[in-house]
Amino acid sequence: MSEPAGEPVIGDPYAFAGQDEFRERVRRLLAQSVLLHAEKWEQGACIPAEGWRTLGEQGLLALGHGGEDFLRSAVFLEELGRTGYAGVRAAVGVHAYMAPSYLELFGTPEQKRRYLPRIRSGELVVALAISEDGAGTDLSGMRTEALSADEAGRYVNGCKWPVVNGTQADLFVTLVRTRQATAGRGLTGASLVLVEGDSPGVIRRPEPMLGMRSADVCRIEFDQVRIAADQLIGRQDRALMYLMKALEFERLVAGLLAVGGVHSCLALLGAHVREHRVGDAPLATKQAVKHRLADLVAEFELVRHFAHRAAWRHSRGDLNSRTASILKLKATELAVEAAQVCVQYHGARGYAEGSAVARHYRDAMAGTIAAGASELMRDMIFEDMSYEL
Ligand SMILES: Cc1cc2nc3c(=O)[nH]c(=O)nc-3n(C[C@H](O)[C@H](O)[C@H](O)COP(=O)(O)OP(=O)(O)OC[C@H]3O[C@@H](n4cnc5c(N)ncnc54)[C@H](O)[C@@H]3O)c2cc1C
């Protein structure tokens, strides 16, 4: 029996009223704005300006970051992942959630007024410039700095890589040193600043990755780039505190996107084993295949349920680092496992460069590295083991 319209789905304690209708609407919108164009975007290595504007017009770049509104975002992120284009999901995830979360959480009213409406409409594209060649998991090796200042502002010098949305970005949320590094003091003396993309001295070098091809990954050099005093996010030298909060949110977003990615991969796999015949019977008749798929589906259901719980906890202001790390770890590692099985059961056709299966396989590997490598997630879960389970 179907549920009455507008009622939460019985059995899903984390659903909101009207969730099914909302999901259906998001699916329809993404079919028009993403699925029709994603192959072209993969080839062009980015979402073009028109693509951003359409997503903005559909209202999909303006869903909430917190409170009850985030439950809508959770549905959107999962559905965006379910398109099966992880490059698109990375670009949109960074633009609509990971980068602007610093403005939402720590920006001044003037910074929010200046940038957020245009980010939400897709008129302005935003990127996150945190990592560097020598600073990823451990950011204490970061060298980009904004130490020199005069009455006109500060000057940013350094190089960030990898940066999603790199050629497109109008704004970079950038981590810099604002005090000389002191040995053993990690990120003390680091700050977050807003660098506008058209500032003289911003140099963009596209550096395509193995997968996530429409994510527009670049190396960004800052050569004596001037930023005004009001381009600092939050308080000077306090970036570590802000990063800890924002990275928790980033991992929640990455986890929800990955859950959608697993869904897409399992759908490909399920359809294939039913259709593809080896000898006189479909693959799905073989017990080894049935059991392998059953294991993946069982894990998917568990991770998906955990993801909905994590989103619900965030909506109540109750997300913690352990929950975000468990979700990110399990969802992205399941995506790798599912993609590997998907290639295997497709045989040579899954290994063909242009196939959707190969795309899932290439893309999945980035998930266990970006936004915090799996090993870091395990470290964080272990450190939190004193909590009651
Ligand atoms: C596709 C993609 C897009 C990205 N986009 C952005 C972006 O837009 N902006 C941005 O700032 N950054 C971005 N990143 C960078 C990302 O955040 C870093 O890759 C990540 O933090 C890991 O850092 P690293 O790659 O330097 O690896 P390293 O820190 O050098 O680690 C290398 C490997 O060592 C292992 N390792 C790490 N720590 C431990 C440990 N404690 N114990 C055991 N093993 C460990 C892990 O397997 C890890 O992958 C992106 C990365 C990818 C892959």
Side-chain angles (χ1 to χ4, degrees):
M1 202 175 79
S2 64
E3 299 296 331
E7 288 300 310
V9 177
I10 292 168
D12 182 353
Y14 311 118
F16 58 86
Q19 179 169 290
D20 287 353
E21 294 75 9
F22 180 72
R23 189 181 290 280
E24 271 311 308
R25 194 166 78 83
V26 168
R27 249 177 226 178
R28 268 199 317 276
L29 292 174
L30 288 173
Q32 296 156 12
S33 59
V34 171
L35 284 174
L36 282 180
H37 313 284
E39 269 312 313
K40 216 165 51 206
W41 296 350
E42 285 280 287
Q43 282 155 25
C46 71
I47 304 178
E50 195 190 326
W52 287 112
R53 270 197 304 276
T54 305
L55 285 161
E57 280 160 17
Q58 290 177 328
L60 295 177
L61 305 177
L63 298 165
H65 282 206
E68 288 278 306
D69 282 354
F70 185 74
L71 296 178
R72 286 192 160 64
S73 278
V75 169
F76 166 65
L77 289 164
E78 201 185 324
E79 289 303 319
L80 181 63
R82 219 175 64 93
T83 61
Y85 286 89
V88 176
R89 92 180 191 216
V92 175
V94 167
H95 170 86
Y97 294 91
M98 297 171 184
S101 73
Y102 290 92
L103 278 171
E104 297 258 9
L105 290 170
F106 315 115
T108 62
E110 169 53 20
Q111 287 169 342
K112 291 181 189 183
R113 193 197 57 72
R114 200 184 311 151
Y115 296 119
L116 287 177
R118 288 186 293 147
I119 291 173
R120 291 173 185 146
S121 68
E123 186 191 332
L124 182 155
V125 177
V126 60
L128 193 53
I130 305 285
S131 309
E132 299 180 10
D133 276 323
T137 307
D138 181 350
L139 289 169
S140 62
M142 180 185 66
R143 297 165 76 106
T144 300
E145 45 88 353
L147 295 168
S148 60
D150 57 25
E151 63 285 352
R154 287 183 170 275
Y155 294 88
V156 180
N157 285 289
C159 181
K160 295 288 180 180
W161 174 84
V163 177
V164 162
N165 295 336
T167 65
Q168 300 270 299
D170 301 290
L171 187 68
F172 295 90
V173 173
T174 309
L175 183 67
V176 295
R177 283 200 183 281
T178 35
R179 256 199 288 146
Q180 285 290 2
T182 316
R185 299 293 303 276
L187 266 190
T188 315
S191 305
L192 286 154
V193 296
L194 292 160
V195 179
E196 297 203 343
D198 60 2
S199 313
V202 174
I203 302 155
R204 308 157 194 257
R205 300 190 197 287
E207 284 201 6
M209 299 295 231
L210 173 66
M212 296 210 174
R213 291 186 179 166
S214 39
D216 186 16
V217 175
C218 284
R219 180 176 296 276
I220 306 294
E221 287 171 28
F222 299 111
D223 179 11
Q224 201 65 356
V225 178
R226 190 179 77 74
I227 49 163
D230 66 356
Q231 295 296 78
L232 184 71
I233 302 179
R235 290 172 60 191
Q236 188 181 318
D237 301 337
R238 297 296 174 94
L240 181 58
M241 206 168 71
Y242 302 140
L243 280 169
M244 280 164 67
K245 188 76 206 144
L247 286 173
E248 207 173 270
F249 180 66
E250 182 170 328
R251 284 159 196 160
L252 170 66
V253 168
L256 287 160
L257 289 168
V259 166
V262 176
H263 198 156
S264 158
C265 188
L266 291 181
L268 261 178
L269 185 52
H272 172 74
V273 297
R274 282 189 181 85
E275 281 160 18
H276 186 67
R277 299 175 83 86
V278 174
D280 56 2
L283 268 182
T285 58
K286 324 265 180 212
Q287 192 177 52
V289 173
K290 286 195 270 193
H291 287 188
R292 193 71 189 93
L293 259 72
D295 284 340
L296 286 172
V297 167
E299 281 184 51
F300 170 65
E301 290 286 341
L302 290 173
V303 173
R304 186 170 188 239
H305 188 75
F306 189 84
H308 293 174
R309 177 172 171 272
W312 175 79
R313 285 190 71 159
H314 177 72
S315 76
R316 297 166 67 95
D318 187 32
L319 182 70
N320 57 27
S321 153
R322 182 178 62 173
T323 303
S325 303
I326 291 174
L327 172 60
K328 161 75 172 56
L329 174 71
K330 288 293 169 185
T332 56
E333 294 210 336
L334 182 58
V336 172
E337 197 185 334
Q340 202 177 353
V341 174
C342 199
V343 173
Q344 185 68 27
Y345 288 159
H346 275 77
R349 42 202 84 63
Y351 201 63
E353 165 73 18
S355 72
V357 181
R359 187 182 67 246
H360 273 90
Y361 189 67
R362 288 194 301 267
D363 288 351
M365 262 326 282
T368 58
I369 298 170
S374 284
E375 291 84 349
L376 177 66
M377 298 302 99
R378 290 194 168 86
D379 280 350
M380 298 187 71
I381 296 161
F382 180 81
E383 274 160 29
D384 241 3
M385 273 178 62
S386 56
Y387 277 60
E388 270 183 39
L389 285 169

PDB file of all heavy atoms in Angstrom, residues 260-283:
ATOM      1  N   GLY A 260      24.921   7.962  -3.051  1.00  0.00           N
ATOM      2  CA  GLY A 260      24.230   8.034  -4.342  1.00  0.00           C
ATOM      3  C   GLY A 260      25.036   7.360  -5.439  1.00  0.00           C
ATOM      4  O   GLY A 260      24.486   6.681  -6.304  1.00  0.00           O
ATOM      5  N   GLY A 261      26.365   7.521  -5.386  1.00  0.00           N
ATOM      6  CA  GLY A 261      27.238   6.892  -6.384  1.00  0.00           C
ATOM      7  C   GLY A 261      27.146   5.376  -6.321  1.00  0.00           C
ATOM      8  O   GLY A 261      27.095   4.695  -7.356  1.00  0.00           O
ATOM      9  N   VAL A 262      27.100   4.831  -5.098  1.00  0.00           N
ATOM     10  CA  VAL A 262      26.985   3.367  -4.946  1.00  0.00           C
ATOM     11  C   VAL A 262      25.648   2.910  -5.532  1.00  0.00           C
ATOM     12  O   VAL A 262      25.573   1.898  -6.237  1.00  0.00           O
ATOM     13  CB  VAL A 262      27.089   2.955  -3.454  1.00  0.00           C
ATOM     14  CG1 VAL A 262      26.874   1.455  -3.307  1.00  0.00           C
ATOM     15  CG2 VAL A 262      28.435   3.363  -2.857  1.00  0.00           C
ATOM     16  N   HIS A 263      24.599   3.674  -5.257  1.00  0.00           N
ATOM     17  CA  HIS A 263      23.261   3.331  -5.770  1.00  0.00           C
ATOM     18  C   HIS A 263      23.299   3.203  -7.304  1.00  0.00           C
ATOM     19  O   HIS A 263      22.797   2.229  -7.876  1.00  0.00           O
ATOM     20  CB  HIS A 263      22.295   4.444  -5.349  1.00  0.00           C
ATOM     21  CG  HIS A 263      20.859   4.053  -5.425  1.00  0.00           C
ATOM     22  ND1 HIS A 263      19.879   4.641  -4.691  1.00  0.00           N
ATOM     23  CD2 HIS A 263      20.228   3.113  -6.170  1.00  0.00           C
ATOM     24  CE1 HIS A 263      18.708   4.085  -4.967  1.00  0.00           C
ATOM     25  NE2 HIS A 263      18.901   3.156  -5.868  1.00  0.00           N
ATOM     26  N   SER A 264      23.930   4.201  -7.935  1.00  0.00           N
ATOM     27  CA  SER A 264      24.011   4.197  -9.395  1.00  0.00           C
ATOM     28  C   SER A 264      24.785   2.979  -9.898  1.00  0.00           C
ATOM     29  O   SER A 264      24.390   2.308 -10.862  1.00  0.00           O
ATOM     30  CB  SER A 264      24.684   5.504  -9.829  1.00  0.00           C
ATOM     31  OG  SER A 264      25.236   5.385 -11.096  1.00  0.00           O
ATOM     32  N   CYS A 265      25.883   2.673  -9.223  1.00  0.00           N
ATOM     33  CA  CYS A 265      26.724   1.543  -9.637  1.00  0.00           C
ATOM     34  C   CYS A 265      25.974   0.212  -9.471  1.00  0.00           C
ATOM     35  O   CYS A 265      26.011  -0.656 -10.349  1.00  0.00           O
ATOM     36  CB  CYS A 265      27.996   1.574  -8.775  1.00  0.00           C
ATOM     37  SG  CYS A 265      29.225   0.396  -9.295  1.00  0.00           S
ATOM     38  N   LEU A 266      25.252   0.073  -8.348  1.00  0.00           N
ATOM     39  CA  LEU A 266      24.510  -1.178  -8.127  1.00  0.00           C
ATOM     40  C   LEU A 266      23.376  -1.335  -9.133  1.00  0.00           C
ATOM     41  O   LEU A 266      23.046  -2.459  -9.536  1.00  0.00           O
ATOM     42  CB  LEU A 266      23.968  -1.227  -6.693  1.00  0.00           C
ATOM     43  CG  LEU A 266      25.022  -1.390  -5.597  1.00  0.00           C
ATOM     44  CD1 LEU A 266      24.369  -1.455  -4.220  1.00  0.00           C
ATOM     45  CD2 LEU A 266      25.888  -2.633  -5.827  1.00  0.00           C
ATOM     46  N   ALA A 267      22.786  -0.208  -9.542  1.00  0.00           N
ATOM     47  CA  ALA A 267      21.719  -0.283 -10.551  1.00  0.00           C
ATOM     48  C   ALA A 267      22.284  -0.804 -11.876  1.00  0.00           C
ATOM     49  O   ALA A 267      21.684  -1.679 -12.528  1.00  0.00           O
ATOM     50  CB  ALA A 267      21.082   1.092 -10.740  1.00  0.00           C
ATOM     51  N   LEU A 268      23.480  -0.290 -12.248  1.00  0.00           N
ATOM     52  CA  LEU A 268      24.148  -0.767 -13.475  1.00  0.00           C
ATOM     53  C   LEU A 268      24.430  -2.262 -13.388  1.00  0.00           C
ATOM     54  O   LEU A 268      24.187  -3.033 -14.320  1.00  0.00           O
ATOM     55  CB  LEU A 268      25.506  -0.076 -13.600  1.00  0.00           C
ATOM     56  CG  LEU A 268      25.709   1.122 -14.483  1.00  0.00           C
ATOM     57  CD1 LEU A 268      27.139   1.617 -14.370  1.00  0.00           C
ATOM     58  CD2 LEU A 268      25.424   0.734 -15.925  1.00  0.00           C
ATOM     59  N   LEU A 269      24.953  -2.632 -12.233  1.00  0.00           N
ATOM     60  CA  LEU A 269      25.358  -4.020 -12.005  1.00  0.00           C
ATOM     61  C   LEU A 269      24.151  -4.962 -12.029  1.00  0.00           C
ATOM     62  O   LEU A 269      24.174  -6.017 -12.684  1.00  0.00           O
ATOM     63  CB  LEU A 269      26.080  -4.072 -10.643  1.00  0.00           C
ATOM     64  CG  LEU A 269      26.713  -5.366 -10.194  1.00  0.00           C
ATOM     65  CD1 LEU A 269      27.636  -5.948 -11.241  1.00  0.00           C
ATOM     66  CD2 LEU A 269      27.486  -5.120  -8.888  1.00  0.00           C
ATOM     67  N   GLY A 270      23.084  -4.563 -11.325  1.00  0.00           N
ATOM     68  CA  GLY A 270      21.872  -5.398 -11.243  1.00  0.00           C
ATOM     69  C   GLY A 270      21.289  -5.627 -12.628  1.00  0.00           C
ATOM     70  O   GLY A 270      20.932  -6.758 -13.006  1.00  0.00           O
ATOM     71  N   ALA A 271      21.192  -4.548 -13.423  1.00  0.00           N
ATOM     72  CA  ALA A 271      20.606  -4.673 -14.769  1.00  0.00           C
ATOM     73  C   ALA A 271      21.484  -5.586 -15.626  1.00  0.00           C
ATOM     74  O   ALA A 271      20.984  -6.448 -16.363  1.00  0.00           O
ATOM     75  CB  ALA A 271      20.498  -3.291 -15.408  1.00  0.00           C
ATOM     76  N   HIS A 272      22.804  -5.410 -15.475  1.00  0.00           N
ATOM     77  CA  HIS A 272      23.722  -6.193 -16.309  1.00  0.00           C
ATOM     78  C   HIS A 272      23.623  -7.691 -16.019  1.00  0.00           C
ATOM     79  O   HIS A 272      23.522  -8.499 -16.944  1.00  0.00           O
ATOM     80  CB  HIS A 272      25.157  -5.709 -16.089  1.00  0.00           C
ATOM     81  CG  HIS A 272      26.175  -6.564 -16.747  1.00  0.00           C
ATOM     82  ND1 HIS A 272      26.374  -6.561 -18.110  1.00  0.00           N
ATOM     83  CD2 HIS A 272      27.034  -7.494 -16.230  1.00  0.00           C
ATOM     84  CE1 HIS A 272      27.308  -7.449 -18.410  1.00  0.00           C
ATOM     85  NE2 HIS A 272      27.732  -8.022 -17.287  1.00  0.00           N
ATOM     86  N   VAL A 273      23.648  -8.078 -14.749  1.00  0.00           N
ATOM     87  CA  VAL A 273      23.676  -9.529 -14.466  1.00  0.00           C
ATOM     88  C   VAL A 273      22.362 -10.207 -14.850  1.00  0.00           C
ATOM     89  O   VAL A 273      22.333 -11.416 -15.098  1.00  0.00           O
ATOM     90  CB  VAL A 273      24.034  -9.843 -12.983  1.00  0.00           C
ATOM     91  CG1 VAL A 273      25.424  -9.351 -12.649  1.00  0.00           C
ATOM     92  CG2 VAL A 273      23.007  -9.316 -12.000  1.00  0.00           C
ATOM     93  N   ARG A 274      21.291  -9.422 -14.928  1.00  0.00           N
ATOM     94  CA  ARG A 274      20.018 -10.010 -15.376  1.00  0.00           C
ATOM     95  C   ARG A 274      20.006 -10.201 -16.891  1.00  0.00           C
ATOM     96  O   ARG A 274      19.405 -11.133 -17.401  1.00  0.00           O
ATOM     97  CB  ARG A 274      18.847  -9.127 -14.943  1.00  0.00           C
ATOM     98  CG  ARG A 274      18.534  -9.334 -13.478  1.00  0.00           C
ATOM     99  CD  ARG A 274      17.247  -8.643 -13.037  1.00  0.00           C
ATOM    100  NE  ARG A 274      17.055  -8.881 -11.629  1.00  0.00           N
ATOM    101  CZ  ARG A 274      17.602  -8.144 -10.663  1.00  0.00           C
ATOM    102  NH1 ARG A 274      18.341  -7.112 -10.965  1.00  0.00           N
ATOM    103  NH2 ARG A 274      17.389  -8.450  -9.401  1.00  0.00           N
ATOM    104  N   GLU A 275      20.665  -9.258 -17.580  1.00  0.00           N
ATOM    105  CA  GLU A 275      20.615  -9.294 -19.058  1.00  0.00           C
ATOM    106  C   GLU A 275      21.738 -10.119 -19.679  1.00  0.00           C
ATOM    107  O   GLU A 275      21.525 -10.800 -20.690  1.00  0.00           O
ATOM    108  CB  GLU A 275      20.753  -7.863 -19.616  1.00  0.00           C
ATOM    109  CG  GLU A 275      19.491  -7.059 -19.544  1.00  0.00           C
ATOM    110  CD  GLU A 275      19.780  -5.567 -19.624  1.00  0.00           C
ATOM    111  OE1 GLU A 275      20.881  -5.181 -20.069  1.00  0.00           O
ATOM    112  OE2 GLU A 275      18.889  -4.792 -19.213  1.00  0.00           O
ATOM    113  N   HIS A 276      22.923 -10.033 -19.107  1.00  0.00           N
ATOM    114  CA  HIS A 276      24.088 -10.602 -19.790  1.00  0.00           C
ATOM    115  C   HIS A 276      24.137 -12.122 -19.615  1.00  0.00           C
ATOM    116  O   HIS A 276      24.112 -12.642 -18.491  1.00  0.00           O
ATOM    117  CB  HIS A 276      25.370  -9.974 -19.238  1.00  0.00           C
ATOM    118  CG  HIS A 276      26.586 -10.410 -19.982  1.00  0.00           C
ATOM    119  ND1 HIS A 276      26.827 -10.054 -21.294  1.00  0.00           N
ATOM    120  CD2 HIS A 276      27.613 -11.208 -19.610  1.00  0.00           C
ATOM    121  CE1 HIS A 276      27.950 -10.595 -21.695  1.00  0.00           C
ATOM    122  NE2 HIS A 276      28.452 -11.312 -20.691  1.00  0.00           N
ATOM    123  N   ARG A 277      24.233 -12.810 -20.729  1.00  0.00           N
ATOM    124  CA  ARG A 277      24.247 -14.273 -20.683  1.00  0.00           C
ATOM    125  C   ARG A 277      25.666 -14.780 -20.915  1.00  0.00           C
ATOM    126  O   ARG A 277      26.389 -14.314 -21.786  1.00  0.00           O
ATOM    127  CB  ARG A 277      23.319 -14.846 -21.772  1.00  0.00           C
ATOM    128  CG  ARG A 277      21.875 -14.410 -21.604  1.00  0.00           C
ATOM    129  CD  ARG A 277      21.024 -14.880 -22.761  1.00  0.00           C
ATOM    130  NE  ARG A 277      20.587 -16.264 -22.588  1.00  0.00           N
ATOM    131  CZ  ARG A 277      19.495 -16.601 -21.914  1.00  0.00           C
ATOM    132  NH1 ARG A 277      18.714 -15.682 -21.378  1.00  0.00           N
ATOM    133  NH2 ARG A 277      19.170 -17.871 -21.799  1.00  0.00           N
ATOM    134  N   VAL A 278      26.042 -15.724 -20.090  1.00  0.00           N
ATOM    135  CA  VAL A 278      27.305 -16.427 -20.313  1.00  0.00           C
ATOM    136  C   VAL A 278      26.884 -17.874 -20.580  1.00  0.00           C
ATOM    137  O   VAL A 278      26.287 -18.504 -19.720  1.00  0.00           O
ATOM    138  CB  VAL A 278      28.234 -16.322 -19.088  1.00  0.00           C
ATOM    139  CG1 VAL A 278      29.477 -17.187 -19.287  1.00  0.00           C
ATOM    140  CG2 VAL A 278      28.646 -14.875 -18.846  1.00  0.00           C
ATOM    141  N   GLY A 279      27.147 -18.358 -21.807  1.00  0.00           N
ATOM    142  CA  GLY A 279      26.581 -19.650 -22.201  1.00  0.00           C
ATOM    143  C   GLY A 279      25.086 -19.449 -22.408  1.00  0.00           C
ATOM    144  O   GLY A 279      24.656 -18.468 -22.997  1.00  0.00           O
ATOM    145  N   ASP A 280      24.273 -20.325 -21.827  1.00  0.00           N
ATOM    146  CA  ASP A 280      22.831 -20.228 -22.100  1.00  0.00           C
ATOM    147  C   ASP A 280      22.035 -19.620 -20.951  1.00  0.00           C
ATOM    148  O   ASP A 280      20.817 -19.661 -20.934  1.00  0.00           O
ATOM    149  CB  ASP A 280      22.276 -21.617 -22.465  1.00  0.00           C
ATOM    150  CG  ASP A 280      22.582 -22.630 -21.375  1.00  0.00           C
ATOM    151  OD1 ASP A 280      23.177 -22.213 -20.349  1.00  0.00           O
ATOM    152  OD2 ASP A 280      22.239 -23.808 -21.557  1.00  0.00           O
ATOM    153  N   ALA A 281      22.744 -19.040 -19.953  1.00  0.00           N
ATOM    154  CA  ALA A 281      21.980 -18.498 -18.823  1.00  0.00           C
ATOM    155  C   ALA A 281      22.511 -17.125 -18.411  1.00  0.00           C
ATOM    156  O   ALA A 281      23.710 -16.861 -18.513  1.00  0.00           O
ATOM    157  CB  ALA A 281      22.092 -19.454 -17.640  1.00  0.00           C
ATOM    158  N   PRO A 282      21.601 -16.256 -17.937  1.00  0.00           N
ATOM    159  CA  PRO A 282      22.072 -14.954 -17.466  1.00  0.00           C
ATOM    160  C   PRO A 282      22.994 -15.118 -16.254  1.00  0.00           C
ATOM    161  O   PRO A 282      22.851 -16.098 -15.487  1.00  0.00           O
ATOM    162  CB  PRO A 282      20.788 -14.226 -17.042  1.00  0.00           C
ATOM    163  CG  PRO A 282      19.667 -15.014 -17.589  1.00  0.00           C
ATOM    164  CD  PRO A 282      20.143 -16.415 -17.815  1.00  0.00           C
ATOM    165  N   LEU A 283      23.909 -14.161 -16.088  1.00  0.00           N
ATOM    166  CA  LEU A 283      24.835 -14.193 -14.941  1.00  0.00           C
ATOM    167  C   LEU A 283      24.079 -14.309 -13.617  1.00  0.00           C
ATOM    168  O   LEU A 283      24.557 -14.924 -12.667  1.00  0.00           O
ATOM    169  CB  LEU A 283      25.659 -12.912 -14.918  1.00  0.00           C
ATOM    170  CG  LEU A 283      26.995 -12.897 -15.639  1.00  0.00           C
ATOM    171  CD1 LEU A 283      27.650 -11.533 -15.431  1.00  0.00           C
ATOM    172  CD2 LEU A 283      27.913 -14.002 -15.113  1.00  0.00           C
TER     173      LEU A 283
END
